[in-house]
Amino acid sequence: FFFLKRQDTAQFIALGSGNCCLENRLSELSSQFPGRAIGLAQFCTKKAHKINAAADYMIVPSRFEPCGLVQLHAMAYGTIPIVAPTGGLLDTVTSTLGFQITSCTKFTERTYSSATVTQMNTLDCVNGLAESSVSHLLTDEDTDNLLTSIENQSTDKIDSKAIVNTVLDALGQYNTEPFFHMREKGMETDWSWKKPAWKWEEALRTLWNK
């Protein structure tokens, strides 16, 4: 939470459950930064939507994200996402809609029975961010091994610095013209199935006519 020390006017709220050590860290936030930060170690969809609706930025530094809905909810509420460039986050959050944590350089390669997965210590960045995901037809056993390895990894200083720098960059644009443009564009973007459904119907009709 170094950015809270750098930005004395910023406020932060975290909601989530999982790793016990991280949950304990969350519970200490309010005492470390009274009036400026709070951590809620719980799972609550209702609170998640309220936070999304009230926040200016939503930080999603996922190590592994096959789809991702939180960033779509954020943009619908006018909240600008700050995301790790992995999976669905990489596919949906472009430079005109939010911020990607791009200074990810430390990779490790793990080989499983049916695939080789290029994996980073904290954030899954695939070959210079050129690829969209790490889905390589993993078996159930491979997926379990991958998730276990991600959960057991410690946070690397390089990754932490990348997150802090990206957050500070986003905060530096707060209340500027690019900030409001990004917010409006996110709210206007249609992520529903309406357009894809029409395309699928058109494709099926074309095949039927043949």
Side-chain angles (χ1 to χ4, degrees):
F1 305 106
F2 180 70
F3 63 88
L4 286 173
K5 298 178 181 179
R6 292 277 299 272
Q7 288 282 342
D8 55 8
T9 59
Q11 293 180 312
F12 178 83
I13 182 169
L15 173 70
S17 60
N19 184 284
C20 292
C21 293
L22 294 179
E23 286 188 355
N24 292 334
R25 290 288 303 276
L26 284 182
S27 63
E28 297 170 357
L29 272 179
S30 57
S31 60
Q32 291 179 345
F33 303 95
R36 296 188 54 215
I38 185 171
L40 303 174
Q42 56 185 261
F43 176 81
C44 180
T45 302
K46 188 174 181 179
K47 287 182 180 179
H49 278 277
K50 287 184 176 181
I51 293 171
N52 246 328
D56 294 305
Y57 296 99
M58 175 64 67
I59 306 174
V60 193
S62 303
R63 295 174 179 173
F64 178 77
E65 187 60 76
C67 178
L69 293 176
V70 65
Q71 80 281 9
L72 302 184
H73 294 161
M75 288 186 280
Y77 282 118
T79 302
I80 298 175
I82 303 172
V83 304
T86 180
L89 301 176
L90 177 62
D91 294 333
T92 56
V93 182
T94 63
S95 59
T96 60
L97 295 173
F99 296 85
Q100 290 187 6
I101 305 167
T102 56
S103 300
C104 306
T105 57
K106 198 167 185 177
F107 289 83
T108 58
E109 191 173 81
R110 300 176 181 272
T111 303
Y112 299 106
S113 60
S114 65
T116 299
V117 178
T118 301
Q119 176 195 351
M120 206 186 80
N121 278 359
T122 300
L123 307 175
D124 290 328
C125 307
V126 185
N127 296 331
L129 316 182
E131 304 297 331
S132 61
S133 67
V134 290
S135 56
H136 297 281
L137 300 178
L138 296 176
T139 64
D140 291 340
E141 181 181 359
D142 293 331
T143 302
D144 291 339
N145 291 337
L146 174 60
L147 293 177
T148 300
S149 67
I150 291 174
E151 289 174 357
N152 290 338
Q153 288 176 5
S154 59
T155 302
D156 191 276
K157 291 183 178 179
I158 295 177
D159 309 331
S160 300
K161 186 176 181 180
I163 296 172
V164 171
N165 287 340
T166 307
V167 171
L168 290 176
D169 182 32
L171 292 176
Q173 296 189 36
Y174 179 67
N175 267 354
T176 63
E177 185 175 345
F179 170 85
F180 291 115
H181 177 74
M182 192 176 291
R183 168 180 281 178
E184 291 175 7
K185 190 171 180 61
M187 295 178 73
E188 293 171 353
T189 302
D190 181 11
W191 295 107
S192 71
W193 278 100
K194 187 175 181 179
K195 290 182 179 179
W198 278 111
K199 290 182 179 180
W200 271 109
E201 182 176 344
E202 183 180 353
L204 291 173
R205 288 183 181 277
T206 301
L207 292 174
W208 180 267
N209 291 334
K210 288 183 179 180

